[in-house]
Amino acid sequence: MKRYFILLFVFNFSFSQTTLMINNENSTINYDAKHVLHAWEGINDNVSGVIIYDNEISKIAIAAKVVDFDSGNSGRDSHSLEVLEALKFPNIKFYSDDIETEGNAITFNGDIEFHGQKKSIKVLGTVDENENLINVTGKFQIIPTEFSIKLPSFMLIEIEDYINISFDIQFDK
């Protein structure tokens, strides 16, 4: 009888983790890119994701559709879908279960999947938490050519080979 009680206690403790879904009405991923002649940004406010949480985030998985990024210029967005082969590679995904927190600073060591390529990246951010929600913000940079993307050009000059990504993601408790 004692063994079963101890085993039951251990199982109950391990199930104390909670899966929290992203609040996609209050979550965004932004990008900004540059060309010699101009810079632009785009936003995706249709982000999906979950975290595993037990007093801190232990796992995170985020997904965004390429087609949902809006730069405010339909011609640019249409060309981006071609360059990024959105029909072949419709999603951008990030996953991490190697997460370090110190105060409200958080570091995600994880994998990003973009344009059919998976790369390990380190993402720095902050976590703000209250009794109703967890808000994660941060920034990182990707290099499109590392994901086998041919850089688009304008007037025979390619865009710069980095894209800044920022995110503001909310999870409801």
Side-chain angles (χ1 to χ4, degrees), residues 9-107:
F9 177 77
V10 171
F11 278 135
N12 281 339
F13 181 72
S14 67
F15 288 122
S16 66
Q17 294 181 333
T18 304
T19 300
L20 301 177
M21 302 296 291
I22 199 169
N23 178 328
N24 64 356
E25 290 181 15
N26 295 322
S27 299
T28 59
I29 298 175
N30 296 13
Y31 77 88
D32 66 68
K34 289 184 180 179
H35 183 272
V36 164
L37 299 176
H38 67 285
W40 68 96
E41 59 185 45
I43 186 169
N44 185 328
D45 58 6
N46 191 23
V47 183
S48 300
V50 297
I51 58 172
I52 304 298
Y53 179 79
D54 183 17
N55 295 323
E56 63 182 30
I57 299 170
S58 61
K59 294 180 184 179
I60 188 167
I62 303 292
K65 293 181 180 178
V66 173
V67 71
D68 288 336
F69 283 91
D70 182 6
S71 72
N73 180 318
S74 61
R76 179 186 302 123
D77 293 341
S78 179
H79 186 62
S80 293
L81 295 177
E82 291 174 30
V83 169
L84 298 176
E85 301 178 273
L87 291 176
K88 190 175 180 181
F89 308 111
N91 299 307
I92 302 166
K93 301 173 188 173
F94 176 77
Y95 174 79
S96 176
D97 62 1
D98 181 3
I99 301 169
E100 301 167 16
T101 57
E102 187 173 319
N104 72 336
I106 191 163
T107 303

Side-chain angles (χ1 to χ4, degrees), residues 2 7 39 67 75-76 86 88 94 99 117 148 152 159 167 172:
K2 267 186 176 177
L7 189 58
V67 71
R76 179 186 302 123
K88 190 175 180 181
F94 176 77
I99 301 169
Q117 306 286 314
S148 301
I159 69 166
F167 56 90
D172 294 328

Side-chain angles (χ1 to χ4, degrees), residues 139-150:
K139 299 178 183 181
F140 62 97
Q141 196 174 73
I142 62 169
I143 299 171
T145 55
E146 288 183 352
F147 294 90
S148 301
I149 297 170
K150 182 171 176 2

